[in-house]
Amino acid sequence: MRRSSDLSPEIAEEAAWWRDAVFYQVYVRSFADSNGDGVGDLDGIRSRLGYLELLGVDALWLTPFYRSPMADHGYDVADPRDVDPLFGDLAAFDRLVADAHEHNIRVTVDLVPNHSSDLHEWFQEALHAGPGSMERARYIFRDGRGFDGSQPPNNWVSVFGGPAWTRVPDGQWYLHLFAPEQPDLNWEHPEVRADLEQTLRFWLDRGVDGFRIDVAHGMAKPEGLPDMHIQAQAPGVLSDDAHDPRFDNDGVHEIHRMIRKVMDGYPGTMAVGEIWVKDDERFAAYVRPDELHLGFNFRLVEADFDADAVRSAIEHSLAAVALTGTPATWTLSNHDVVRHVTRYGGGTAGEQRARAMTLVELALPGVIYLYNGEELGLPNVELPDWALQDPTWERSGHTERGRDGCRVPIPWEGTTPPFGFSTAVNTWLPQPNEWDHLTAEAQLEDPGSMLSLYREALEHRKSHASFAGTELEWYGAPAGCFAFRRKGGGLICALNTSGASVPLPPGQVLLSSGPMDGDQLPPDTAVWLV
Ligand code: BGC
């Protein structure tokens, strides 16, 4: 079996390689299709490793490619230790890891411990075995409320809309914080823990360099399953309300300690958790030395294009990890949120602001998570109703359009869909015709393209001495602007979100997100100075 020690000696020697790594999230369905079925797959990713090396990323995060009926596009796992035939097989996975390592790119994979698929053999056994059985104890089955048990056991709602409980024919109810096809596992059950340990070792033994842990603030449930405050639920995929009994229960930390123990037996590997927890101290608890190596922080995703909001997001993110010795992580987009070009207003302004925020993000100390297609400046896509597939659309009674708009397949080359993504005309989500100027091919040689900005910025981030150190100092700046300096190396990053040009801080321009206005920084622009 392959270990990360098969990486070239220069990169293998660094045990904590992840502390300043640039990760690239591959949404496997949408990255590259090698077999012409309109859905991306593992061999497709392998065929694009040259591109990823050229882009300058250090590691991949692959979204779930395990056996799944795809009710939530792979986040409903029926067998966590096998590849779904839609994406390839274990041999294709081994080829991908081997080739990625050849390109000096590490591979991390998604783990989904909070729930399984309803077609997982455990859940099928639970359905057949009946109330009170050993089989039901692996999930969260309860009797209903009301004299005939016809009311759900509590008032919890599913993140995707509707009740978080579904009744089975014998009258009991089971909990699913997400879709009914994703029953929550009972983390009090020793077999649930033992099974995750087996899954961790299975992929670590195959040579993966780490994991992204889905809903890492889920899993543990509170004693007695008390009702939630319905009015407190935030819109969006996941809420981060401190009083939400569905998430961030103290029992979760013991699970992370178990995971860490396994990973410590595989030096050079890491785990990052999806943690939608806003309180800095509660967030920090997840990255204690015996828990996760890294935690996703979504504050940049949640900040508007506004200097004060972005500065506050940065300061909170740094504060949350300051006492832990763990680096901060930075994310502008992922497969669950509206792409940032669109969040910042879309069109030319959205693109300019996205370019500016890319320089802000890549100037920060710590770990970067890029989402496939952001380097091409892809906007969210307004898909027609017939194309929508995210369970949120159905579960919300067609009021929430869901996350498909940020998951449209990548345009690689050519002038018409499928833009080299596939040989099939019908890709799993349709691509807009207007993406002809956004293909990787169209942008590769264009020095003014989004792709060129990412390549140049990543190159500087990797090689320029001014990026040294982990601390920032902030300068005074005009309203709607900020400037910070990396204390160690001296890089200065200035951002202008106001409506007028402002004087530049002193220094030589290393890179700017758009043209300068003489010695002034124009609106919607960021600059690096040394
Ligand atoms: C993933 C989502 C997924 C959900 C349920 C998450 O937070 O990022 O894409 O739908 O977990 O597994």
Side-chain angles (χ1 to χ4, degrees), residues 207-282:
V208 305
D209 301 291
F211 299 100
R212 176 264 188 185
I213 300 184
D214 189 59
V215 201
H217 59 319
M219 300 185 273
K221 305 295 184 297
E223 188 68 39
L225 305 179
D227 278 352
M228 64 185 284
H229 301 284
I230 294 291
Q231 69 277 17
Q233 198 204 6
V237 168
L238 288 172
S239 110
D240 50 13
D241 183 327
H243 307 296
D244 186 336
R246 300 171 303 169
F247 296 107
D248 192 29
N249 288 289
D250 289 340
V252 73
H253 295 289
E254 197 204 320
I255 302 168
H256 288 300
R257 284 195 280 275
M258 178 278 273
I259 294 174
R260 181 61 178 258
K261 231 185 223 152
V262 174
M263 300 204 57
D264 282 347
Y266 294 80
T269 63
M270 52 73 66
V272 60
E274 181 197 26
I275 307 167
W276 288 89
V277 172
K278 246 197 185 140
D279 181 82
D280 289 347
E281 265 176 52
R282 292 201 67 88

Side-chain angles (χ1 to χ4, degrees), residues 374-402:
E374 70 167 80
E375 78 280 15
L376 303 176
L378 298 186
N380 240 58
V381 178
E382 278 296 332
L383 291 161
D385 290 3
W386 61 260
L388 297 180
Q389 302 198 22
D390 185 350
T392 310
W393 174 237
E394 286 303 326
R395 297 275 304 163
S396 69
H398 295 184
T399 55
E400 298 279 335
R401 299 189 74 72

